Amino acid sequence: MTRLTVPRVVMLLIGALLVVYAFALPAVTASRGPGDARSGRVAKADAEALAQPGASRRPAQQLFPPAGKTFIGVMTEKGPHDFTAMNMFTAAAEHQPQAMLFSSGWAVDAFDRTLFDRIKDRGMLPMLGWEPWDYRSGEAAVRKGLPTPEIDRARNEQPQYRLSHIARGDFDSYLRSWADGIKSLGYPVAIRFGHEMNGYWYPWCESVNGNQPGDYVKAWRHIHDLFRAAGATNVTWVWSPNNRWDDSTQKLATFYPGDDYVDWVGISGYYSTVFTSDYRSFDTIFSQSIQEIRAFTSKPLVITETGASDANGRKAEWITEAFQMLARYQDIIGVIWFEVDKQKEVDWRIVSSPVVAKAFAKAVADPRYQFTWSSDMLPRTKLAD
């Protein structure tokens, strides 16, 4: 018979306590409230639960434009400085534009946040037509009544704004002020730098002003890289040549900076009777250039400027036909109407007559153009998105 001594009793009591503790600990741990520390296994289980389909998470941002949609934009003479013309356009079109293009010349304009905010606050994507020149020279020549060749010279011969000067950094302080300003906006904007570079009527066109082949691409990439270095990543870069009007002009690929530097490709083109009395349909004006562009990029396409003459009384007809043809171009994500009356040239506006306004309103009433832009949308940069 085992004799119970005091030391043995103490040891038995300690053993019993250890057994109780071993069985009680899991129950205590399992009963802890949400505020208690959790084991690594429990925390991992929680993380896995959050990763399951249907778990609460931030919704994905909507693309602009949404799939299957095409935005309607407008450009007026005074842009966000005066919305009178835009309001008239909206009323005539019976449609709220989703984008507004406005121009800014380097010699005159500093960054002004209010211009972008005014457009954004009216429910439109701001698109800046950024022009490296002094546009006042050409305007002064026109006011003096100078012959056309002298007006052209005043406009496109501005050595200070040669493309090589941009690429070598002469304007970097000015560019950074805009990059910092646009970054501070906190919402998407589009920039169409040096449009219609394949022409001869601006100082950034390669065929004038002492510019050399390849200079446009170098200038574009320099500006793009400077914005990227400044953290201005809220920019949609819009490359926008003029449509090729004949085979003697340079191929558009010559001026293309590359897909890493471009988000949207654009084309300017108009139905005009200034140089010919022939009727030219939307397809006649744009199809060749679109086919050429598609040989070197698949980026989304925007008609960045268009309008129609009414000299032969066919403006309303052209609008109706153009929008019918647009339905065949699924890669065109936007159309910007040039709502300007160039009194010595052409009145491009849809408000030029009730018949024209009615034709435009009927065309853009199609569901393809019906949606709302908001500043939290992400610009569509791939057609497959």
Side-chain angles (χ1 to χ4, degrees):
M1 180 174 178
T2 305
R3 187 178 178 183
L4 292 175
T5 63
V6 173
R8 285 182 176 176
V9 170
V10 172
M11 290 180 65
L12 288 171
L13 289 174
I14 292 173
L17 288 172
L18 288 173
V19 170
V20 170
Y21 180 78
F23 281 99
L25 181 60
V28 171
T29 303
S31 65
R32 283 177 178 168
D36 295 321
R38 298 188 176 200
S39 69
R41 184 169 57 189
V42 173
K44 181 180 179 182
D46 288 348
E48 290 174 348
L50 288 174
Q52 296 301 312
S56 177
R57 64 183 67 186
R58 185 178 179 182
Q61 286 181 284
Q62 190 176 14
L63 293 177
F64 174 76
K69 300 289 188 178
T70 298
F71 71 82
I72 299 297
V74 63
M75 182 178 188
T76 63
E77 184 175 5
K78 295 183 179 179
H81 297 281
D82 184 344
F83 283 102
T84 302
M86 199 282 289
N87 292 338
M88 293 173 63
F89 173 88
T90 302
E94 301 176 14
H95 180 85
Q96 166 65 45
Q98 295 101 342
M100 185 176 202
L101 171 63
F102 71 103
S103 60
S104 176
W106 287 17
V108 177
D109 300 322
F111 175 77
D112 183 353
R113 180 191 179 107
T114 59
L115 300 179
F116 294 88
D117 285 345
R118 287 173 188 166
I119 296 173
K120 183 263 295 183
D121 291 344
R122 285 176 173 254
M124 297 180 290
L125 169 74
M127 183 182 293
L128 170 67
W130 216 17
E131 303 174 351
W133 69 331
D134 188 345
Y135 59 80
R136 297 170 298 182
S137 299
E139 291 178 350
V142 171
R143 286 195 300 270
K144 292 177 182 177
L146 298 179
T148 299
E150 292 188 37
I151 294 174
D152 289 344
R153 240 186 333 267
R155 285 170 53 88
N156 61 31
E157 294 298 329
Q158 299 185 21
Q160 178 184 356
Y161 295 98
R162 283 179 182 156
L163 293 167
S164 60
H165 294 184
I166 299 171
R168 76 186 183 189
D170 289 10
F171 295 91
D172 279 6
S173 295
Y174 179 76
L175 297 176
R176 285 194 191 95
S177 69
W178 279 79
D180 291 340
I182 288 175
K183 175 185 176 182
S184 73
L185 293 175
Y187 54 81
V189 301
I191 293 181
R192 183 180 72 149
F193 164 73
H195 63 291
E196 299 171 12
M197 77 301 293
N198 57 323
Y200 54 84
W201 42 85
Y202 294 123
W204 58 83
C205 296
E206 279 195 352
S207 61
V208 298
N209 201 29
N211 296 320
Q212 301 297 317
D215 280 352
Y216 182 82
V217 168
K218 293 175 184 176
W220 177 288
R221 290 179 177 177
H222 179 79
I223 295 169
H224 184 281
D225 288 345
L226 186 147
F227 268 66
R228 179 180 290 171
T233 57
N234 55 323
V235 176
T236 300
W237 293 94
V238 186
W239 177 79
S240 178
N242 198 77
N243 70 298
R244 288 188 68 193
W245 54 95
D246 62 48
D247 292 336
S248 68
T249 57
Q250 283 182 272
K251 291 186 178 297
L252 298 179
T254 304
F255 307 99
Y256 190 61
D259 281 357
D260 289 342
Y261 290 86
V262 174
D263 297 303
W264 293 348
V265 293
I267 309 176
S268 299
Y270 294 80
Y271 163 49
S272 172
T273 55
V274 174
F275 300 107
T276 176
S277 60
D278 295 340
Y279 179 81
R280 299 167 65 241
S281 69
F282 181 92
D283 276 347
T284 302
I285 295 167
F286 289 104
S287 62
Q288 179 182 351
S289 296
I290 292 174
Q291 289 174 12
E292 187 175 332
I293 287 171
R294 284 296 171 242
F296 56 83
T297 182
S298 60
K299 290 288 184 175
L301 182 65
V302 177
I303 303 300
T304 42
E305 286 185 37
T306 195
S309 165
D310 207 17
N312 292 335
R314 304 187 70 175
K315 187 172 184 176
E317 176 188 352
W318 189 90
I319 289 171
T320 299
E321 183 185 55
F323 278 91
Q324 289 172 347
M325 292 178 174
L326 266 170
R328 301 203 295 262
Y329 293 89
Q330 295 301 310
D331 54 346
I332 293 180
I333 65 166
V335 178
I336 299 175
W337 191 268
F338 190 67
E339 187 70 2
V340 176
D341 180 6
K342 287 199 168 183
Q343 296 180 1
K344 293 187 177 181
E345 297 178 21
V346 179
D347 185 351
W348 303 108
R349 300 172 304 161
I350 67 167
V351 300
S352 61
S353 80
V355 174
V356 170
K358 183 177 180 180
F360 193 91
K362 183 177 180 180
V364 299
D366 188 282
R368 181 179 182 183
Y369 311 105
Q370 301 301 313
F371 68 97
T372 302
W373 176 84
S374 65
S375 59
D376 59 354
M377 298 176 86
L378 289 176
R380 178 182 297 278
T381 59
K382 296 178 181 179
L383 292 171
D385 288 340

